[in-house]
Structures are given as structure tokens and as C-alpha cells.
Amino acid sequence: MCNLSVTSYYLFKGDWYDIFSRLLDDVSTNDDRKFDIWEPVDKHKEYKVIVVYGAPLSLNFCVTNKIWKTHEKIFDAFYSGKEYQYNIHSNYYLGFNEEEFSDTLLTTEYLIKSK
């Protein structure tokens, strides 16, 4: 999804938009990070996923916001390949090159549907 070298995975409960806003504030000081928040379409599922491309989230940010780091194997087992079951919210837009937006972070929301 993004060309940054390191990918980290996190789980959290609660309002995705609140965490999204806090991540935007945190990202504004760290331009080498992009992220997606995976919100389940099924409202009975409690956990949401944050996929961070680039610099990982700080321990202080995770503790303050009750975010738990997980491993790529967990993501692959439970989430990867099931994008159609999630609303995916990103702080970047996949339709354009990042250079076209200079230093601006876009708040976009998109839904990946299965065929």
C-alpha cells in the first residue's frame, strides 16, 4: 500500500476516528510515517487494526491510547486477504504519487469491496 520500508501492526478497541485524529497529530511531527486503520464492517467485532508504514508508534503513544502492538503473522492469519470485511481509513491517498502532494497529509476514507 505504501513504499515505506518498515511495517508495524497494532490492535485497539474504541472509536477509530479518535485514534485516527491522534495519529494525524503524531504523524505531523513525523513525516516518515503513513498508516491505515482497519475498522470491521461487522460492529460485533471489537478490535480495530492499525497498519503503520515507516516509523513505528512510540511506546508512550501506545500506552496513552491503549494500543497493543501485534506481529505480522497475527495480521496475516486474521486480517490479510479479508479487506472486504473492513472499512480502511488512510492518511494518504493511493491514487496519486506522494510527490504530487508535497508535505500535505490527506484524510481519506475508502472501502474495499469483494467481487
Side-chain angles (χ1 to χ4, degrees):
M1 292 193 169
C2 201
N3 291 332
L4 298 172
S5 61
V6 178
T7 305
S8 305
Y9 304 92
Y10 302 87
L11 299 173
F12 71 98
K13 290 182 178 181
D15 182 32
W16 74 267
Y17 189 77
D18 185 43
I19 295 297
F20 190 92
S21 298
R22 291 177 190 185
L23 281 168
L24 283 178
D25 290 340
D26 191 51
V27 167
S28 65
T29 60
N30 194 351
D31 291 336
D32 59 342
R33 181 188 303 145
K34 306 287 185 218
F35 64 88
D36 294 326
I37 293 183
W38 291 40
E39 173 198 20
V41 173
D42 180 356
K43 299 304 177 193
H44 291 99
K45 294 184 178 183
E46 295 182 52
Y47 287 95
K48 289 137 188 102
V49 180
I50 304 171
V51 180
V52 177
Y53 309 97
L57 301 178
S58 70
L59 180 59
N60 185 43
F61 184 85
C62 290
V63 170
T64 302
N65 294 289
K66 298 179 182 175
I67 297 171
W68 300 273
K69 187 168 185 168
T70 190
H71 299 282
E72 184 175 6
K73 289 180 182 182
I74 300 295
F75 179 80
D76 288 343
F78 293 100
Y79 302 97
S80 184
K82 300 178 183 177
E83 292 89 353
Y84 62 92
Q85 295 178 0
Y86 293 86
N87 293 318
I88 301 175
H89 313 279
S90 300
N91 74 324
Y92 60 94
Y93 184 67
L94 294 174
F96 298 93
N97 292 329
E98 291 179 37
E99 295 85 291
E100 293 181 35
F101 294 105
S102 63
D103 296 327
T104 304
L105 292 176
L106 296 177
T107 306
T108 61
E109 178 179 342
Y110 58 93
L111 174 64
I112 299 175
K113 298 180 181 178
S114 66
K115 294 181 180 179

